[in-house]
Amino acid sequence: MSENRGLIFAYELDGHGGGRALDMDGVRAWRPGAGPLWVHLDYTGEDAVDWLDNHSGLDPLMVQALTAVETRPRSLVHRDGLLGILRGVNLNPGADPEDMVSIRFWLDADRIITLRHRRIMAIDDLRQAVAAGEGPARPGEFLSELADRLVGRVATVISELDDTTDELESEVVADQTTALRQNIADVRRVAIALRRYLAPQRDVMARLHTEKVDWLDETERLRLREVADRTTRFVEDLDAIRERASVTQEELNGRIAERMNRTMYILSIVAGIFLPLGLLTGLLGINVGGIPGTDNPWAFSIFCVLLVALAAVQVWVFRRKHWM
């Protein structure tokens, strides 16, 4: 079955970490008691929509929530099942990690239904683990594994962002170039974009381990609580990165302004020295009668010496007044 029809893959789990691959006909023929079903769908595909509407047995409101175009992280217990929407960093080729991809899922005692439109690396990891016989054996284990893998990839991105911030802080002290402004702005943009989804996802993770569903055992709840703690820590790290980037930006602006002020001060000193000299040369350069020294062959040399002496006096006065 091609991916654009909706079904990406499906497994009938054997309860020991492995599973038997199914096509869409196999998914439709599956019945509870045959082993937990994991079906992974592209929610924009025709077969996915048809199965969700007509064969999944899900409440229409749950189907609507799972296939919504715009989503934010959330969780909801409905009857004996759990609806969840989480976000993972976008590690697809050519994509920006902060453009986080949504993964939607419905879990109950017998089924795992996951939906996405763009590829999720954490789901690929779990698929490979099932194919190798080392995957989750039950829905509760699947949820804890998925949450852990999503957060693990976020950790990598935030660590790289933190390293970039450290480098920018060092470059501001050493280099102070205006080109750093764009790099600092990029760090702040990425941190803001990541926090936009991680902040509500932190709340979702904090609720998952307390949801009242029978198929989550104590070990899985403890693992979900650990994931929630890590997510909270990452949100705090993003806040710290934003603050550090803001401080770095202010430091850069201050240093650039200081350097510009120093340059303008030097130009002002030079202009102050040459202003009276220019006035004198301008007066003697007008082409009218009565200019003194026109008949004296030493007049130009004497005038140059006077200009140098005047400049020296100005420099002495500026130094006395601590202007230079």
Side-chain angles (χ1 to χ4, degrees):
M1 183 67 62
S2 60
E3 182 174 328
N4 61 2
R5 296 287 298 174
L7 178 65
I8 302 173
F9 63 81
Y11 285 99
E12 181 184 296
L13 303 180
D14 59 15
H16 302 286
R20 178 172 65 92
L22 301 175
D23 57 13
M24 184 55 79
D25 291 334
V27 172
R28 292 192 180 101
W30 176 89
R31 294 293 181 271
L37 171 70
W38 177 20
V39 55
H40 186 51
L41 304 169
D42 182 340
Y43 61 85
T44 63
E46 297 176 6
D47 283 346
V49 174
D50 175 72
W51 184 79
L52 288 169
D53 288 338
N54 304 313
H55 303 280
S56 67
L58 294 178
D59 187 289
L61 290 176
M62 299 298 103
V63 174
Q64 183 179 356
L66 289 170
T67 57
V69 176
E70 295 295 332
T71 61
R72 287 180 66 81
R74 58 180 293 200
S75 68
L76 174 66
V77 173
H78 180 69
R79 297 173 184 170
D80 61 342
L82 173 67
L83 178 143
I85 299 174
L86 299 177
R87 289 270 177 166
V89 290
N90 191 350
L91 298 180
N92 293 310
D96 296 324
E98 67 273 14
D99 181 20
M100 301 187 75
V101 182
S102 69
I103 176 68
R104 304 104 182 273
F105 56 84
W106 170 266
L107 303 177
D108 55 37
D110 298 307
R111 292 184 303 178
I112 301 167
I113 302 172
T114 53
L115 302 98
R116 58 83 161 166
H117 183 52
R118 290 178 291 178
R119 184 182 179 190
I120 299 284
M121 298 298 180
I123 292 292
D124 288 349
D125 291 346
L126 293 173
R127 177 185 185 178
Q128 294 171 9
V130 170
E134 300 174 352
R138 50 194 303 274
E141 185 179 354
F142 175 89
L143 178 59
S144 61
E145 285 278 354
L146 175 63
D148 185 60
R149 292 177 186 273
L150 288 174
V151 170
R153 283 182 164 83
V154 171
T156 301
V157 174
I158 293 180
S159 177
E160 292 175 354
L161 193 63
D162 188 64
D163 292 341
T164 301
T165 306
D166 289 340
E167 293 174 2
L168 289 174
E169 289 175 336
S170 300
E171 290 178 15
V172 165
V173 175
D175 195 4
Q176 306 170 23
T177 62
T178 55
L180 292 176
R181 285 181 172 178
Q182 184 59 48
N183 295 334
I184 296 173
D186 288 342
V187 168
R188 295 180 66 184
R189 175 182 58 80
V190 172
I192 291 170
L194 286 173
R195 195 187 188 284
R196 176 189 175 191
Y197 292 109
L198 282 184
Q201 187 151 308
R202 168 190 57 189
D203 300 332
V204 173
M205 292 294 189
R207 286 198 305 270
L208 283 178
H209 73 275
T210 62
E211 297 288 13
K212 296 180 179 179
V213 289
D214 297 334
W215 41 266
L216 269 177
D217 63 25
E218 187 60 28
T219 300
E220 292 156 357
R221 292 181 187 274
L222 288 174
R223 188 172 183 184
L224 287 172
R225 185 166 60 186
E226 176 62 26
V227 172
D229 290 341
R230 291 172 64 193
T231 305
T232 300
R233 200 160 57 244
F234 293 151
V235 173
E236 293 171 352
D237 289 343
L238 286 174
D239 290 336
I241 289 172
R242 289 173 59 191
E243 291 297 326
R244 290 169 58 196
S246 297
V247 171
T248 303
Q249 180 73 60
E250 293 173 1
E251 176 71 15
L252 176 61
N253 291 340
R255 288 177 177 269
I256 291 175
E258 181 182 354
R259 185 169 58 185
M260 185 175 297
N261 291 337
R262 188 182 303 114
T263 301
M264 294 301 298
Y265 180 75
I266 293 173
L267 292 176
S268 299
I269 293 295
V270 172
I273 293 175
F274 281 92
L275 183 61
L277 303 182
L279 174 63
L280 292 177
T281 56
L283 287 175
L284 294 179
I286 57 178
N287 192 19
V288 295
I291 298 298
T294 54
D295 298 327
N296 187 344
W298 295 97
F300 179 74
S301 299
I302 295 172
F303 183 68
C304 288
V305 172
L306 290 175
L307 291 179
V308 172
L310 178 59
V313 171
Q314 287 180 282
V315 171
W316 178 78
V317 171
F318 287 171
R319 288 188 178 276
R320 282 291 301 271
K321 291 184 174 292
H322 303 288
W323 291 352
M324 60 181 297

